[in-house]
Amino acid sequence: MSVATNAFLDMLAAERGAAANTLAAYRRDLDGAEEAIGDLASVSREDVARLSAVWSGLAPSTVQRKSSALRQFFGFALEENWRMDDPSGALPKPAARRPLPKVLSHDEIERLFSTAEDEAASDRPAAVRMLALLELLYGSGLRATELVSLPLAAVPRDAPFVTVMGKGGQARMVPVSERAREALSRWLKVRQETDSKFLFPSRSKYLSRVRLFQMLKELAVRADISPERISPHVLRHAFATHLLEGGADLRVLQTLLGHADIATTQIYTHVDAARLVALVNARHPLAQTRTSD
């Protein structure tokens, strides 16, 4: 790896606080590009254009990620005088962006919760646990790993928040609804006594992500919803989409989801175009001026 690319990685670690996994991913992408076309601090625009052929067999999402890494490097190199030009315009442009996650309708969410609540009425531990998991997935937008690895100490007592350890070891405060707090309280009453420090323990350590996937799909079948339409990520996306539809600010949503970059939130959320048009017509100052005239 060249001196310039090492300097770029050092900057990511020092100034942006990039996690080890993030740095490793950038290193792999930059290493691969340098193996293909040479030192990124001195390659020409024509060299960069050759990456289209080198990456031709890769998925569009992978090309997009690699191009993003190089684009950031070239911007850094220009600012730090490693280069006198920015050849990023010659980077491959993926044919399509990654598809948005599947979206559950409000009716499907209601059916899912209705089924879970009916089953939890029996106070069977497995059913009560399922309801608590569902409330936290949809009510707080937690990632699957964040949810299953919650420590027992994370259960809110006085404050309606739970501290979650997200990607890159970044902690964030996530609000917990009254419904979710009630479901957690019910779960703690039937949770088997154990020395485990985790909220959702299992024989190995804590409930696995794979088992969470299975439980959700089984619940979907009982709620007359196609199991292919549901996963922890789909519920997280539904949380974001439905909040945005309800008028939540995008920056607030970014914080709730634990996204480091607002661009990730913009890609992740799916908003009805008609609702956006109606919002502009109703809220834009000029629209209000015309109405008052």
Side-chain angles (χ1 to χ4, degrees):
M1 177 166 279
S2 68
V3 176
T5 47
N6 272 317
F8 171 67
L9 293 173
D10 289 342
M11 180 276 294
L12 289 180
E15 297 182 15
R16 300 187 190 176
N21 287 344
T22 301
L23 291 173
Y26 273 100
R27 183 178 293 276
R28 285 194 298 271
D29 288 340
L30 296 175
D31 269 342
E34 289 196 328
E35 288 177 6
I37 61 175
D39 187 343
L40 296 178
S42 58
V43 292
S44 67
R45 187 181 180 88
E46 290 70 27
D47 292 329
V48 173
R50 288 195 290 113
L51 288 172
S52 290
V54 176
W55 295 344
S56 61
L58 301 178
S61 59
T62 302
V63 174
Q64 186 176 40
R65 189 199 72 232
K66 290 177 177 293
S67 292
S68 176
L70 265 67
R71 191 174 294 108
Q72 291 181 64
F73 167 78
F74 288 134
F76 164 81
L78 191 61
E79 289 179 0
E80 299 296 320
N81 295 320
W82 289 100
R83 295 187 61 99
M84 294 298 105
D85 67 323
D86 181 356
S88 59
L91 283 167
K93 296 176 176 58
R97 298 175 68 182
R98 64 182 181 183
L100 288 169
K102 302 168 188 173
V103 180
L104 290 175
S105 68
H106 290 278
D107 177 66
E108 288 172 318
I109 289 291
E110 288 177 7
R111 279 160 41 205
L112 203 61
F113 271 92
S114 178
T115 302
E117 288 165 353
D118 288 346
E119 292 176 353
S122 66
D123 284 335
R124 288 187 302 108
V128 175
R129 180 182 63 177
M130 185 71 257
L131 180 59
L133 290 165
L134 191 62
E135 287 283 1
L136 288 171
L137 280 171
Y138 177 69
S140 298
L142 300 185
R143 298 180 178 96
T145 300
E146 293 172 345
L147 175 59
V148 296
S149 63
L150 276 176
L152 188 59
V155 177
R157 289 175 173 79
D158 299 326
F161 293 94
V162 61
T163 301
V164 175
M165 195 62 66
K167 286 185 176 181
Q170 297 295 317
R172 72 182 189 280
M173 297 289 286
V174 177
V176 178
S177 69
E178 287 294 333
R179 288 170 49 112
R181 293 176 73 181
E182 181 182 344
L184 285 172
S185 178
R186 290 178 62 184
W187 164 237
L188 290 178
K189 289 178 182 177
V190 300
R191 178 180 178 272
Q192 185 177 4
E193 288 296 329
T194 174
D195 294 332
S196 174
K197 66 177 183 178
F198 296 102
L199 179 58
F200 301 106
S202 73
R203 283 174 296 179
S204 56
K205 189 174 182 181
Y206 50 74
L207 185 71
S208 71
R209 293 173 67 255
V210 172
R211 183 57 187 142
L212 177 61
F213 272 71
Q214 293 171 341
M215 290 163 57
L216 278 174
K217 292 183 181 299
E218 291 165 2
L219 177 65
V221 171
R222 298 195 295 274
D224 197 24
I225 299 171
S226 172
E228 288 75 22
R229 289 181 49 75
I230 194 165
S231 71
H233 184 69
V234 168
L235 285 171
R236 174 173 159 86
H237 185 66
F239 161 83
T241 303
H242 295 165
L243 268 183
L244 206 60
E245 287 176 352
D249 180 83
L250 201 61
R251 287 288 181 185
V252 172
L253 199 58
Q254 177 189 3
T255 300
L256 293 176
L257 293 171
H259 288 160
D261 190 342
I262 189 69
T264 306
T265 313
Q266 291 169 326
I267 294 170
Y268 185 76
T269 54
H270 173 80
V271 186
D272 184 0
R275 192 189 70 83
L276 287 178
V277 172
L279 181 64
V280 170
N281 289 336
R283 299 293 180 85
H284 195 283
L286 291 179
Q288 294 174 2
T289 300
R290 286 195 296 271
T291 301
S292 62
D293 290 344

